[in-house]
Each structure stands twice: as structure tokens, then as C-alpha cells.
Amino acid sequence: MPDVAAMRSRLEHTFHLTPGPILDTRNARAPEAERAAAGLWRRDASTWSADADVQKKILNRLGWLSSPQLMADSLDRLLAFAASIKQAGFTDVVLLGMGGSSLAPEVLRGILGVTPGWPRLRMLDSTDPAAVRAAGTPPDSTLYLLSSKSGTTIEPNSLAAHFRSTLERAGIRRWADHFVAITDEGTELATRARSEGFRDVFINPSDIGGRYSAMSFFGLVPAALMGQDVAGLIGWALAMLSAPQSAVDLGLAIGSAAGCGRDKLTLVLPDALEPFGLWVEQLIAESTGKHGTGVVPIVGETLAAAAAYGRDRFFVRLRMHGSDADAMRDTDTRDLEAAGLPLAEIELPEPSALGAEFVRWEIATAVAGALLHINPFDEPNVQQAKDATRTLLDTYKSQGHLPVPSADRTIGGGVTLTLSSAARQALGAHEPEALLTLLREGDYFALLAYVGPDAELATEFGALRQAVRDRTGAATMFAYGPRYLHSTGQLHKGGPNTGVFVLISATPRTDLAIPGEPFSFGTLELAQALGDFASLDATGRRALHVHLPAPDRRLVREVADALLEPRARRET
């Protein structure tokens, strides 16, 4: 193990806050944050709730505090396992997962990369047929990581069935030698992996929630397979746990800002750290977005001049120590400071200090949750969308089709537009394309896309998102489904009712069967989109479901033009 004390020293002075308008609130609430931190170290569940039943559940979600030490104790096993996979000739690893437990490996791959000579990692957390096909690698040299805390999540299990069939069609008789499970003890997946003879099974402590699992087997088994510095990641995590004041200060700033109405936590990231935003987004949104409150994480927005932002923003900038590219952004963030906008700045001493950053944000989220008077360790609305999807699939099984609500309007190319009840009521006699006129000060816009990995579509989505931000001044979110159902989806339904949502689905050009199921991947994806929209509708959200007859960039542009035109008409 590396020198944790030296790492702890290097973490000093890596956090700086320019509080601006949140200064008084931040100072007034500092004692409350310190009490919350003390309760966290004691594992005192009353820090977040006075309800005895809720406290029991919280106590079963604090294992992440011990996880870095557990991983340090498991380091030899992790390294030996990874070496054996490399020696066996595996060239590719496909991670089959969903939600926060899968995003940490994607962050590690995106920032730290794969060491030359080690297997390439691809994370698959989509049910889109094109995405499943795009994850195809030579089956004889591919290892599949089936990663699921509950072991019953429909997406990874459907993907596992597909890739098992792929192995069998390729003539690989011992298909289970190509599968490794990461799950909790006692799950159906743990039982099945052992009975079917998976190559290995990693049992994670059951008291670690998925979004807090970066520094556990869920994050570090993939890291080891990529040949990354696992010992360094663990050492940095232990260093942050041993000197957590900056993490507490970050949590205090987040909670204080939200208390002042600045609940749009906007991350400013250099290209090299851009993937980290995905992980922070799911952690903050799923942990704080419930019971009508919450912090809305904004990642991936192009930084604008300070005058473009409303009074609902709190900025956090991350940079890598010694990076010239990061230094070029100093002028932009100084503009934010000069305008009096609250800004926190965090510096990573080196790339493997991501281990410390995972822990910093976990502690900060727990402290912010206490300040917001919510339980940051549950996700009460996530199951809602799952149940809606299951009901739709049951209907499909019995009737042979999904029950699709009647559209409010059909525009050129056969694109259908369907409004939620709240949006229909708010728009009155106006057409669905006028949805963006519902955005008011303090609202946010969320673009939610159930499509595959298509660069042209992504460009159109990005253009629409930026146009909405530039024209309305609203904070904007973008997410792919069904990934976000297990993360930011909690905020969308359980957080403050300040979101205006455009959900886009598309009929796939070529569908793909799911072995053992009467429905295909395309049907599953549409059921998830419909179930999510039904959940948004049931929680009174202003939402529009756009369904495209094909995942075509021209259709997306047509939709964007239709949505932006009413706003432009009103302003001229």
C-alpha cells in the first residue's frame, strides 16, 4: 500500500470556497454541518431521521465508510484475479450493469484509461438494440462482468441472457467461464453464479448502496482488470477518510446554497475530468431528490458568461494539479467570482486521487442531506418507474402489444407528441410544441433520450440543450435512458417540481430478441420510456413524450425547431 499519510498531506488545501451570497447562511449552518459529520463518524442514524424504521434502513447503508479498508484487505485478491484474466488471454471486458454501481468503472475508464496490454473495458447499461450490438466483441476472448447489487435488475439480466446466447452460438461450451458476478450475498445472482459455475463471484457488503459503491468491488474489480493503480485509488480514499474536513465543507456549501435557493449545482470540468460529472450527477440527484426537495446537479453544460446565469446556481470547479488546460479556465471562473456567484474549487493532486474524490463527494452528500433534512441513502421513487415498466411488460405478455397513450399531436415525419396532465393543463389551448414557454425562473429543463450510441443524434441533443439554456436562462440536464431511471430519475419524480421534461424515444431500425423472454430489447426500451413518462405524469410533472418513427437526426432537429419556435415567437 502507498503512503497514506503523505497522500493526506497532499489533500490539504485542495478545496477552496468563494461563498459570495451564501456566506451568511454558510456561517450560520456550519455548527449543524459539524454535528452531522460527527453523527456520520459515529454511524448515528438519528443524524438524518427521527423515525426508528428509517434509522434501521440508514444503518444498513453506511458500509461505504469501511469499504476502502475492506478493499485494502482484499488488494491481493483483486490483483491476482486481474492477472489471471490477463494471463488467460481475455482481450475485452464487457460490464453489464445499471445505475450508480456501474458508473464508477465508466469514470475510471474515461479518466485513467486502460493500461497497455490489459483488457479493454466497455460498460453496457442500455437496453437499446443498437447499443447492445455496438458492445459486441470477440466472444472467445471476452469476459462479461454481471454487476448487480440486487441481482434481479431487469437490464443486466436481459443483457446477460443475450451474451450467454452469443457465447453458445459461437460454440463455446463452457460459457460460464466467461462470466464473473459482482453482487450482494444472498441474491438470486449470487446463487445462480455459484450453481452455474461462473468463473468467479465477488460478494460486496450488503450495507453499501449502489451509488456509494465506487470504492468497493463494484468499482475496483473493473479497475483491476484495466490494469489501473488499484492500491493508489484505495490509498487516496483512505487519506480522505482520515482528513475529511474539506468534504464536510463541501457538503456544508452544497446544503447552504440549496437553502438559499441556489439548488442548481453546476459542475465546471475540464475535458480530462468530464466523465466524473456522470458519477457526481447520479450521487447528488438520487441522494437528495426526494420529498419535494433536492439539489439539481448540472453537468455537461458549456460554461457561459456570468450574466447568463440566474440566481439558482452554485458552481463547483474541478481541476487537475499542474494542468495547463485547466489553467486556461481560470479567466472564466474569475468572471463568475467577480459577478458574486458562489464558487467552490477542488484540485486533484494526481489522476489516481479519484479515490479521494469519490469519498469526498460521498461525505459531502451525507452532510448536505442532513442539512436538507432528508435521508440521503434511500431512493423511494426509483421503484415507481420499475413497477410501471413491469406492468407494461405484463400487458405486453398477455395482449401482445404495449398500451401506448393517444398522442396529443403528430408532426411531420410521423413524430408523435404526448403531454403529461400537468403540462396539458398548464399549456391550456396552446400546442404541445409550446412546452418550453412553461419554464420560469428557478426551473430546470431535462432532455431524456431512449436511443442508442449515435454521434449524430448526440450532436442534435447537445444543440437543443444549449439552445434552451441560451434562450431561457434555465439550467439544463441531459441523460440517456434507461440509465438515468436508476439515478437522476429519483430527483425528477421526488425532488422539487421545478423540472420541465422532454422525453424522446424512437422505434429501432433493427430490433433484437431477448433469449427466454417474449419481448425484445426494443419493446423493453419502449416500456421503460412509457413507464418513466407515466411516473412523471403521476407525480404532476410538466412533461412531453416525443416518439420518433426512427432514430434519425433530421427528426430530432425537426422536433428541436418545433420546440424552440414558440419561445422565439413569444420573445419577438
Side-chain angles (χ1 to χ4, degrees):
M1 285 294 296
D3 187 343
V4 173
M7 290 175 166
R8 183 171 61 245
S9 177
R10 292 179 67 190
L11 284 173
E12 293 181 5
H13 313 300
T14 58
F15 175 82
H16 175 73
L17 175 69
T18 304
I22 72 170
L23 175 62
D24 291 343
T25 302
R26 187 251 175 228
N27 290 342
R29 305 202 71 179
E32 187 179 351
E34 292 299 330
R35 288 194 296 272
L40 179 64
W41 314 141
R42 296 194 309 270
R43 303 199 185 198
D44 179 359
S46 68
T47 302
W48 299 277
S49 176
D51 186 293
D53 290 336
V54 174
Q55 289 177 5
K56 290 179 182 177
K57 295 176 181 178
I58 291 173
L59 288 173
N60 194 37
R61 285 294 181 272
L62 298 178
W64 55 274
L65 291 165
S66 304
S67 188
Q69 185 57 56
L70 174 64
M71 292 300 99
D73 296 339
S74 305
L75 182 60
D76 288 346
R77 183 192 176 193
L78 286 165
L79 298 181
F81 165 74
S84 71
I85 296 301
K86 180 184 178 185
Q87 187 175 11
F90 287 100
T91 60
D92 294 271
V93 175
V94 179
L95 173 61
L96 313 176
M98 188 59 59
S101 59
S102 301
L103 283 175
E106 179 71 356
V107 170
L108 291 168
R109 183 198 64 78
I111 295 177
L112 301 182
V114 177
T115 301
W118 289 82
R120 297 176 293 268
L121 178 79
R122 179 171 304 201
M123 195 265 281
L124 180 57
D125 62 351
S126 174
T127 53
D128 186 86
V132 178
R133 286 194 176 90
T137 52
D140 58 337
S141 60
T142 298
L143 183 75
Y144 300 96
L145 285 181
L146 183 48
S147 178
S148 174
K149 176 178 170 60
S150 69
T152 59
T153 307
I154 190 170
E155 297 95 340
N157 285 344
S158 297
L159 295 170
H162 168 77
F163 287 108
R164 171 180 174 173
S165 176
T166 299
L167 290 167
E168 291 175 332
R169 290 197 308 272
I172 299 173
R173 292 191 303 169
R174 295 183 58 85
W175 63 268
D177 286 348
H178 290 251
F179 270 82
V180 171
I182 309 174
T183 188
D184 289 2
E185 187 61 87
T187 64
E188 292 181 17
L189 174 56
T191 300
R192 179 159 59 93
R194 288 163 176 153
S195 65
E196 294 180 345
F198 279 25
R199 190 178 195 93
D200 211 333
V201 183
F202 288 86
I203 300 299
N204 218 52
S206 60
D207 59 353
I208 301 175
R211 60 187 178 275
Y212 290 85
S213 66
M215 297 306 300
S216 75
F217 286 130
F218 282 109
L220 295 187
V221 169
L225 288 169
M226 289 185 280
Q228 294 177 350
D229 180 11
V230 177
L233 289 166
I234 295 170
W236 280 109
L238 290 170
M240 180 58 73
L241 278 173
S242 66
Q245 188 57 50
S246 65
V248 177
D249 290 342
L250 175 60
L252 170 59
I254 293 171
S256 299
C260 294
R262 294 184 176 274
D263 62 344
K264 310 306 187 300
L265 173 63
T266 304
L267 267 70
V268 181
L269 301 169
D271 292 343
L273 293 176
E274 192 69 32
F276 187 66
L278 287 174
W279 184 85
V280 171
E281 181 184 49
Q282 59 88 32
L283 176 70
I284 293 290
E286 193 172 14
S287 298
T288 69
K290 56 202 68 169
H291 308 305
T293 189
V295 176
V296 182
I298 305 299
V299 302
E301 274 193 347
T302 302
L303 191 63
Y309 296 109
R311 293 175 292 179
D312 58 348
R313 299 276 192 156
F314 168 51
F315 294 88
V316 179
R317 178 196 180 202
L318 273 72
R319 60 176 296 176
M320 193 73 70
H321 176 73
S323 169
D324 292 337
D326 286 358
M328 293 175 63
R329 295 207 175 194
D330 284 344
T331 302
D332 296 327
T333 52
R334 295 293 83 80
D335 178 44
L336 299 177
E337 277 189 291
L341 296 175
L343 170 69
E345 297 185 87
I346 297 171
E347 183 177 82
L348 277 69
E350 62 180 55
S352 61
L354 273 173
E357 216 53 45
F358 286 131
V359 176
R360 186 199 305 269
W361 283 87
E362 289 169 345
I363 294 170
T365 301
V367 171
L371 297 183
L372 294 170
H373 307 295
I374 52 94
N375 171 12
F377 307 111
D378 68 351
E379 50 286 324
N381 295 95
V382 170
Q383 190 61 42
Q384 182 181 11
K386 291 182 180 180
D387 292 343
T389 298
R390 177 54 62 189
T391 298
L392 289 165
L393 290 174
D394 288 343
T395 300
Y396 181 88
K397 290 177 181 179
S398 62
Q399 300 181 10
H401 62 85
L402 291 173
V404 179
S406 299
D408 290 278
R409 182 170 166 81
T410 300
I411 60 177
V415 177
T416 59
L417 308 178
T418 307
L419 290 167
S420 67
S421 299
R424 191 177 297 114
Q425 181 178 0
L427 285 172
H430 294 286
E431 59 198 10
E433 296 96 313
L435 183 78
L436 298 182
T437 65
L438 300 181
L439 284 164
R440 298 292 182 260
E441 184 178 358
D443 285 349
Y444 68 93
F445 169 75
L447 180 59
L448 311 171
Y450 286 80
V451 296
D454 185 305
E456 292 186 342
L457 290 179
T459 298
E460 295 297 334
F461 293 143
L464 173 56
R465 179 186 183 184
Q466 180 154 338
V468 172
R469 196 278 305 274
D470 292 345
R471 293 195 185 194
T472 70
T476 64
M477 304 180 76
F478 173 75
Y480 283 107
R483 166 192 286 181
Y484 74 83
L485 289 179
H486 302 261
S487 55
T488 55
Q490 168 61 46
L491 170 79
H492 298 160
K493 290 96 169 177
N497 194 356
T498 54
V500 173
F501 304 90
V502 173
L503 186 153
I504 298 180
S505 59
T507 301
R509 288 191 170 92
T510 306
D511 208 344
L512 189 62
I514 300 176
E517 295 288 0
F519 50 84
S520 63
F521 277 106
T523 299
L524 173 56
E525 182 182 39
L526 180 57
Q528 291 174 312
L530 291 169
D532 184 42
F533 185 73
S535 298
L536 290 169
D537 192 10
T539 49
R541 268 45 180 173
R542 296 161 292 170
L544 173 67
H545 179 196
V546 177
H547 185 73
L548 312 176
D552 190 314
R553 71 175 302 179
R554 292 170 297 179
L555 295 175
V556 175
R557 185 173 298 174
E558 181 179 343
V559 170
D561 290 343
L563 289 171
L564 294 167
E565 183 183 354
R567 167 67 67 168
R569 268 205 310 266
R570 198 183 76 165
E571 293 178 345
T572 55

